[in-house]
């Protein structure tokens, strides 16, 4: 993987994480226009799950983040 690509495809034999796209908080925050700390606050609040790879790397499921945003969006009248 090259240094500019921060999207991670994770596969496992159980199929639980297969075909899901994971990214770092900074990458997701940049796409959403929020601070990376906001992504960690959502995880701290139980709104999304964090996937700790090691002591320094934490990844977030992109589809889970987008689903959370859609579910909490206020509908215009």
């Amino acid at each position: 993987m090259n240094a500019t690509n921060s999207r991670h495809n994770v596969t496992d034999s159980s199929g639980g994480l297969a075909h899901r796209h994971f990214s770092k908080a900074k990458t997701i925050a940049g796409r959403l226009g929020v601070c990376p700390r906001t992504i960690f606050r959502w995880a701290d609040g139980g709104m999304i799950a964090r996937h700790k790879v090691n002591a320094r790397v934490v990844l977030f499921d992109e589809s889970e983040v987008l689903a959370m945003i859609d579910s909490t969006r206020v509908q215009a009248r």
Side-chain angles (χ1 to χ4, degrees), residues 7-22 59:
R7 176 181 259 192
H8 304 273
N9 292 320
V10 177
T11 58
D12 65 358
S13 60
S14 68
L17 298 178
H19 308 295
R20 291 166 60 184
H21 298 283
F22 292 81
L59 300 177

Side-chain angles (χ1 to χ4, degrees), residues 14-53:
S14 68
L17 298 178
H19 308 295
R20 291 166 60 184
H21 298 283
F22 292 81
S23 293
K24 293 181 178 182
K26 183 177 179 179
T27 302
I28 294 173
R31 289 188 200 135
L32 296 175
V34 299
C35 178
R37 182 69 195 129
T38 299
I39 306 300
F40 285 99
R41 283 189 194 111
W42 291 342
D44 291 343
M47 299 171 77
I48 58 173
R50 71 179 78 209
H51 302 275
K52 196 166 188 177
V53 176

Side-chain angles (χ1 to χ4, degrees), residues 19-22 28 48 60-70:
H19 308 295
R20 291 166 60 184
H21 298 283
F22 292 81
I28 294 173
I48 58 173
F60 298 90
D61 183 344
E62 294 179 13
S63 61
E64 182 181 356
V65 173
L66 294 176
M68 185 277 301
I69 290 169
D70 286 341

